[in-house]
């Protein structure tokens, strides 16, 4: 027994000594940290967090969504209800701690331990203010340590009222509003000192998640959080139960920005810039907007103006139909203009990037790319007539052409593309196997659900416009290295480069996309603007052909609910979608024309100052030959209707439309003519 007591006493003595030693070391450590914090001195309260956007020419983007003006008001000018609401939900022991709420930290740790995940935060107002002023929002231990040190220095050198005043003037309330005064003006069009209790508590709930708790974005979430704040204020006796009930049931009227004359440049584009920056920097959207960054974008202002003017002029007759459009540099993937809807102030939903709609016949160029890679040529013939296809499962599939127009004869691939013949497309897809079209679409960057079915050849897949324009840019450039982007460089508030777009040189052969095949397809696509075929079948771009002053290629797409037009010059590719948000059928003929009209008007405006350039084959392996479209053979004086087609020189037909081989002198004459052809000869097709 004595041995046990002696052993226990020694163990307790050692434990006490160890605990005492640890306590002493802890005190010394805390004193060291305190001395170090004092030596560092007071941190600057200068807040330079406005994020600035720049256009492609390097000029500042005026009226940008990021970096809105901030209004600084003193704590005395802020009504008690604003201060009390903020303290109640964010840090009710603010005036009783030294920057760290140990009780709250212990409670949060226990909650996280029970949930086995980070579900509850414990940051005080001082810590949040330190983070917003001096640090990024990355979730690392290094940032946490820096945040703690800044919070300690704030508490050492500034009064509590100074910290709270700074916090309430700089915290982000969403929609570009920083600080309570700016938020009050944005949401309610009044000064902060005029806010009611209901309005003050609504605003106090937003900073936790401006996207999630903004009443303009999600009123249900916002009201739930507002009620929680009012309950907390009641519990803390900041308000009475009667005041709480009155505020809960109060009807709030938000400022209608659609009636404001203020109009920011390219708001949908700016929204995408913020999303892209958030993805590149691994930050939240609101962290990008309040991070003091300098973001250099790809926006070309005259492109944006041409696009917005075209939308406004063409669609003013119809108040319900919506549209979206994207303009992209086909050699780089740089987005130079974007519209995500007709009116940003009426709704911020970006249909260009978010809406997945059936793409219709705009998918066909990729089908014919796949066909050319599998022993087809631009002159491969298929019969265009009503056809029923028996599928492997026994079902019968009977597609039809638009308005039931058929050639009732064999047509070439080049004709099928210009006329958008559905029978030719489905036959080709079934002969190849739908899996080859899916693989081709993947090679051109299309993600999402792509069903391996015969009807995929007619665009039954639903794909965002942004992704389709991106894939067309790869087709026009002949390179998978071209990828859509709105940002070229980002620097922080100290001019440190935090992101820069790498220049992807096209030195090595592209393993995914064959440039010769891609060029053959894009050149065939200039046929959609040719004169009518044999005088009775119109190509799909006939309605806007007379508006165009230079060579373009393109493809339209039509479904019951959607209208598409994606076209390009050698320099730029542009896509336009039109339709109804509720996916109703487009019953008016005019509804299906909007996309083409907007495209034609915008592209002509964009190219007004751009030198005329011809589509140039990327390799000498391709040969341009004049083909008689009716026979699919070389043209001759006996059948002068002709169309310039580029194809592999080994696949050029040896017979003329008369069924005879051309004389050597005729071949030399054709080659000489091709060498001396002016650029506009490229658009000459089936002459009547």
């Amino acid at each position: 027994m004595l041995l046990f007591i002696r052993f226990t006493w020694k163990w307790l003595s050692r434990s006490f000594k160890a605990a005492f030693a640890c306590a002493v070391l802890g005190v010394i450590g805390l004193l060291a940290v305190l001395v170090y914090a004092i030596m560092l001195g007071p941190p600057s309260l200068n807040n330079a967090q406005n994020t600035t956007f720049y256009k492609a020419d390097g000029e500042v983007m005026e009226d940008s969504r990021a970096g809105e003006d901030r209004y600084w008001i003193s704590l005395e000018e802020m009504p008690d209800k604003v201060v009390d609401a903020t303290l109640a939900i964010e840090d009710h022991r603010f005036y009783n701690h030294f920057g760290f709420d140990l009780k709250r930290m212990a409670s949060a740790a226990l909650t996280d331990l029970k949930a086995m995940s980070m579900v509850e935060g414990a940051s005080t107002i001082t810590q949040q203010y330190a983070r917003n002023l001096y640090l990024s929002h990355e979730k690392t231990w290094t940032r946490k340590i820096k945040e703690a040190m800044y919070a300690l220095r704030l508490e050492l050198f500034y009064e509590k009222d100074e910290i709270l005043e700074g916090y309430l003037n700089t915290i982000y309330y969403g929609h570009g509003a920083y600080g309570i005064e700016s938020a009050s003006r944005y949401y309610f069009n009044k000064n902060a000192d005029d806010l009611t209790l209901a309005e003050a508590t609504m605003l106090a709930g937003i900073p936790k998640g401006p996207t999630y708790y903004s009443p303009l974005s999600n009123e249900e979430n916002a009201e739930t959080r507002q009620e929680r704040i009012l309950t907390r204020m009641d519990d803390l006796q900041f308000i009475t139960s009667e005041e709480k009930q009155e505020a809960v049931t109060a009807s709030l009227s938000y400022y209608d920005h659609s009636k404001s004359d203020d109009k920011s440049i390219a708001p949908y584009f700016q929204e995408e810039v913020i999303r892209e920056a958030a993805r590149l920097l691994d930050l939240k959207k609101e962290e990008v907007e309040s991070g003091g960054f300098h973001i250099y974008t790809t926006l070309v202002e005259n492109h944006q103006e041409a696009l917005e003017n075209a939308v406004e002029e063409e669609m003013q007759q119809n108040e319900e139909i919506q549209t979206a459009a994207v303009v992209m540099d086909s050699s780089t993937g740089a987005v130079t203009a974007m519209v995500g809807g007709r009116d940003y102030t009426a709704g911020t939903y970006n249909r260009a990037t978010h809406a997945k709609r059936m793409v219709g016949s705009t998918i066909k160029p990729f089908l014919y790319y796949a066909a050319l890679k599998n022993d087809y040529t631009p002159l491969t013939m298929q019969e265009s007539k009503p056809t029923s296809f028996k599928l492997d499962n026994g079902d019968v599939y009977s597609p039809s052409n638009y308005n039931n127009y058929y050639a009732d004869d064999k047509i070439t691939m080049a004709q099928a593309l210009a006329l958008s013949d559905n029978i030719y497309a489905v036959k080709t897809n079934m002969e190849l196997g739908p899996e080859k079209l899916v693989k081709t679409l993947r090679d051109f960057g299309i993600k999402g659900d792509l069903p391996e079915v015969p009807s995929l050849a007619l665009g039954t897949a639903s794909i965002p416009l942004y992704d389709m324009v991106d894939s067309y840019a790869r087709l026009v450039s002949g390179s998978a290295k071209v990828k859509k982007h709105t940002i070229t460089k980002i620097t922080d508030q100290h001019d440190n480069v935090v992101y820069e777009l790498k220049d992807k040189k096209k030195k090595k052969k592209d393993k995914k996309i064959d440039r010769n095949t891609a060029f053959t397809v894009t050149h065939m696509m200039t046929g959609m603007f040719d004169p009518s075929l044999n005088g009775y079948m119109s190509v799909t771009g006939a309605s806007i052909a007379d508006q165009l002053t230079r060579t373009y290629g393109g493809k339209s797409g039509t479904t019951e609910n959607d209208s598409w037009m994606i076209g390009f010059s050698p320099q730029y590719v542009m896509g336009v979608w039109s339709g109804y948000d509720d996916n109703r059928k487009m019953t008016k003929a005019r509804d299906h024309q909007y996309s083409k009209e907007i495209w034609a008007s915008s592209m002509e405006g964009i190219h007004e100052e751009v030198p005329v350039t011809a589509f140039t084959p990327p390799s000498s392996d391709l040969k341009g030959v004049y083909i008689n479209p009716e026979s699919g053979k070389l043209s001759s004086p006996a059948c002068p209707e002709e169309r310039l087609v580029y194809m592999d020189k080994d696949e050029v037909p040896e017979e003329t439309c008369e069924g005879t081989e051309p004389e050597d002198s005729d071949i030399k004459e054709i080659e000489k003519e091709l060498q001396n052809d002016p650029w506009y000869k490229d658009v000459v097709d089936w002459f009547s």
Side-chain angles (χ1 to χ4, degrees):
M1 185 66 179
L2 289 173
L3 185 63
F4 174 75
I5 294 173
R6 190 178 299 168
F7 174 79
T8 303
W9 175 253
K10 286 184 179 180
W11 181 83
L12 289 172
S13 298
R14 289 175 182 173
S15 299
F16 176 77
K17 290 177 182 178
F20 180 76
C22 289
V24 171
L25 289 174
V27 171
I28 292 173
L30 288 173
L31 288 173
V33 170
L34 188 61
V35 171
Y36 178 65
I38 293 172
M39 290 175 62
L40 288 175
S44 171
L45 294 184
N46 179 38
N47 182 25
Q49 292 184 338
N50 289 349
T51 289
T52 306
F53 291 160
Y54 297 84
K55 295 176 290 187
D57 60 7
E59 295 294 319
V60 174
M61 196 182 298
E62 300 295 339
D63 299 318
S64 62
R65 287 191 63 259
E68 295 287 343
D69 291 336
R70 307 181 188 202
Y71 304 94
W72 190 285
I73 59 175
S74 68
L75 195 62
E76 289 74 23
E77 294 176 276
M78 299 178 193
D80 290 343
K81 56 181 75 77
V82 168
V83 176
D84 290 345
T86 302
L87 291 175
I89 194 63
E90 294 293 344
D91 186 2
H92 73 279
R93 282 188 285 267
F94 172 72
Y95 281 100
N96 299 318
H97 62 61
F98 57 95
F100 308 94
D101 190 339
L102 299 180
K103 185 176 181 180
R104 186 177 177 187
M105 290 169 67
S107 175
L110 184 60
T111 301
D112 292 345
L113 187 62
K114 289 179 179 179
M116 297 301 290
S117 64
M118 297 282 288
V119 296
E120 183 174 324
S123 293
T124 62
I125 282 177
T126 308
Q127 288 174 280
Q128 293 180 52
Y129 189 33
R131 184 191 313 142
N132 292 334
L133 279 178
Y134 314 114
L135 303 168
S136 70
H137 289 68
E138 60 181 345
K139 295 179 180 179
T140 64
W141 284 109
T142 302
R143 198 269 292 164
K144 285 283 188 184
I145 293 170
K146 289 180 179 179
E147 178 187 299
M149 182 57 69
Y150 275 117
L152 178 59
R153 291 168 64 196
L154 284 172
E155 290 282 345
L156 283 170
F157 292 101
Y158 296 99
E159 298 294 330
K160 284 286 190 179
D161 284 354
E162 290 180 283
I163 295 172
L164 184 58
E165 178 181 304
Y167 173 83
L168 285 168
N169 276 299
T170 57
I171 198 69
Y172 184 56
Y173 288 88
H175 303 282
Y178 297 88
I180 188 62
E181 179 68 15
S182 179
S184 180
R185 296 187 188 191
Y186 184 86
Y187 287 94
F188 299 111
N189 196 30
K190 62 171 66 173
N191 294 328
D193 59 1
D194 294 325
L195 290 171
T196 65
L197 177 61
E199 292 167 341
T201 50
M202 179 60 75
L203 294 182
I206 297 174
K208 180 177 175 63
T211 302
Y212 192 73
Y213 291 114
S214 164
L216 305 184
S217 301
N218 195 320
E219 193 167 9
E220 183 179 350
N221 289 344
E223 289 175 351
T224 300
R225 183 158 173 80
Q226 179 205 32
E227 186 169 354
R228 181 185 173 190
I229 294 171
L230 287 164
T231 299
R232 187 69 179 143
M233 292 178 74
D234 186 16
D235 293 341
L236 294 169
Q237 297 183 347
F238 289 167
I239 59 174
T240 65
S241 298
E242 291 74 18
E243 288 175 317
K244 171 197 167 183
Q245 191 58 35
E246 184 180 342
V248 167
T249 58
S251 177
L252 298 181
S253 177
Y254 301 103
Y255 179 57
D256 185 0
H257 290 271
S258 66
K259 297 178 181 179
S260 173
D261 293 333
D262 296 335
K263 184 179 179 182
S264 62
I265 181 173
Y268 290 104
F269 177 88
Q270 291 185 44
E271 194 72 50
E272 179 57 26
V273 168
I274 294 170
R275 288 180 67 246
E276 188 173 318
R279 185 172 66 252
L280 293 171
L281 302 178
D282 193 24
L283 298 174
K284 295 179 181 178
K285 287 173 58 180
E286 49 268 21
E287 293 170 350
V288 171
E289 292 180 302
S290 61
F293 297 105
H294 297 268
I295 302 181
Y296 296 83
T297 78
T298 56
L299 183 78
V300 178
E301 189 165 4
N302 71 303
H303 289 196
Q304 185 68 31
E305 289 176 352
L307 176 54
E308 291 181 359
N309 290 339
V311 170
E312 187 173 350
E313 291 173 8
E314 297 297 336
M315 305 197 81
Q316 57 185 342
Q317 300 176 11
N318 191 321
E319 295 182 357
E320 291 186 273
I321 196 168
Q322 277 293 348
T323 192
V326 176
V327 182
M328 193 177 293
D329 185 322
S330 58
S331 65
T332 65
V335 178
T336 62
M338 178 183 289
V339 163
R342 295 179 61 180
D343 184 2
Y344 185 81
T345 60
T348 62
Y349 180 66
N350 191 337
R351 295 159 186 83
T353 58
H354 289 70
K356 293 182 178 181
R357 307 290 295 224
M358 291 182 70
V359 298
S361 293
T362 59
I363 207 170
K364 289 176 181 175
F366 304 106
L367 170 67
Y368 296 134
Y369 173 94
L372 292 175
K373 294 293 292 178
N374 286 272
D375 300 326
Y376 287 64
T377 79
L379 308 181
T380 298
M381 292 279 197
Q382 298 270 26
E383 197 161 14
S384 171
K385 65 178 183 179
T387 306
S388 294
F389 299 90
K390 189 172 183 179
L391 307 183
D392 292 339
N393 62 4
D395 291 343
V396 176
Y397 176 47
S398 302
S400 61
N401 279 347
Y402 184 66
N403 285 339
N404 290 313
Y405 287 147
Y406 302 90
D408 290 320
D409 202 349
K410 289 186 176 182
I411 58 174
T412 64
M413 180 189 292
Q415 288 173 296
L417 188 54
L419 298 168
S420 199
D421 191 275
N422 289 339
I423 305 303
Y424 192 112
V426 174
K427 282 183 179 179
T428 303
N429 192 33
M430 293 186 68
E431 289 170 359
L432 291 174
E435 68 280 356
K436 289 186 177 176
L437 174 54
V438 171
K439 182 184 182 305
T440 299
L441 290 168
R442 300 294 188 207
D443 288 343
F444 280 88
I446 298 296
K447 300 176 182 178
D449 184 27
L450 298 173
E452 295 180 1
V453 294
S455 61
L456 182 61
L458 307 185
T460 51
S462 295
I463 303 169
L465 172 67
Y466 198 22
D467 293 350
M468 285 299 291
V469 175
D470 181 47
S471 65
Y472 266 63
R474 298 182 188 202
L475 183 66
V476 176
S477 66
S479 174
K481 296 186 174 91
V482 172
K483 294 183 180 179
K484 60 182 185 289
H485 62 275
T486 63
I487 298 172
T488 57
K489 186 172 72 172
I490 304 175
T491 62
D492 63 18
Q493 53 190 306
H494 303 295
D495 290 331
N496 299 310
V497 177
V498 294
Y499 168 78
E500 190 161 16
L501 182 70
K502 294 180 180 179
D503 184 16
K504 298 180 180 180
K505 302 289 185 181
K506 302 174 187 176
K507 293 180 180 179
K508 297 181 180 179
K509 185 177 180 181
D510 200 308
K511 295 180 180 179
K512 287 187 177 181
I513 298 176
D514 182 80
R515 295 188 71 193
N516 286 349
T517 306
F519 178 82
T520 300
V521 174
T522 55
H523 192 271
M524 282 196 294
M525 292 168 73
T526 62
M528 80 166 287
F529 303 114
D530 286 346
S532 62
L533 175 61
N534 295 337
Y536 64 90
M537 288 192 71
S538 293
V539 291
T540 52
S543 62
I544 56 172
D546 60 350
Q547 301 177 37
L548 308 179
T549 59
R550 63 177 68 204
T551 307
Y552 297 103
K555 188 73 195 75
S556 59
T558 303
T559 73
E560 289 185 334
N561 315 93
D562 306 277
S563 174
W564 294 71
M565 175 63 205
I566 309 179
F568 49 85
S569 68
Q571 296 95 339
Y572 297 104
V573 57
M574 175 181 174
V576 185
W577 165 87
S578 299
Y580 293 92
D581 284 341
D582 59 6
N583 210 32
R584 80 182 78 161
K585 291 183 179 180
M586 302 174 73
T587 56
K588 301 176 184 177
R590 177 64 179 161
D591 287 353
H592 285 289
Q593 191 62 20
Y594 285 125
S595 293
K596 290 179 183 177
E597 295 289 350
I598 291 170
W599 181 88
S601 177
S602 299
M603 286 293 271
E604 283 293 292
I606 287 168
H607 288 83
E608 206 167 83
E609 304 296 329
V610 178
V612 174
T613 306
F615 289 95
T616 307
S619 166
S620 59
D621 292 334
L622 289 177
K623 186 174 183 179
V625 290
Y626 285 112
I627 298 296
N628 172 253
E630 188 173 346
S631 65
K633 299 177 181 179
L634 296 173
S635 63
S636 75
C639 37
E641 296 86 358
E642 61 182 8
R643 216 288 169 179
L644 179 62
V645 176
Y646 280 92
M647 54 197 306
D648 190 293
K649 58 186 179 182
D650 295 330
E651 296 174 342
V652 174
E654 297 181 353
E655 289 185 334
T656 67
C657 52
E658 299 173 281
T660 60
E661 293 188 14
E663 300 290 336
D664 289 343
S665 58
D666 292 336
I667 295 174
K668 290 179 181 178
E669 188 64 31
I670 291 172
E671 291 177 345
K672 182 178 179 182
E673 184 181 349
L674 283 169
Q675 291 173 359
N676 298 325
D677 267 348
W679 66 268
Y680 55 80
K681 187 66 175 174
D682 285 1
V683 296
V684 177
D685 202 359
W686 302 289
F687 289 106
S688 300

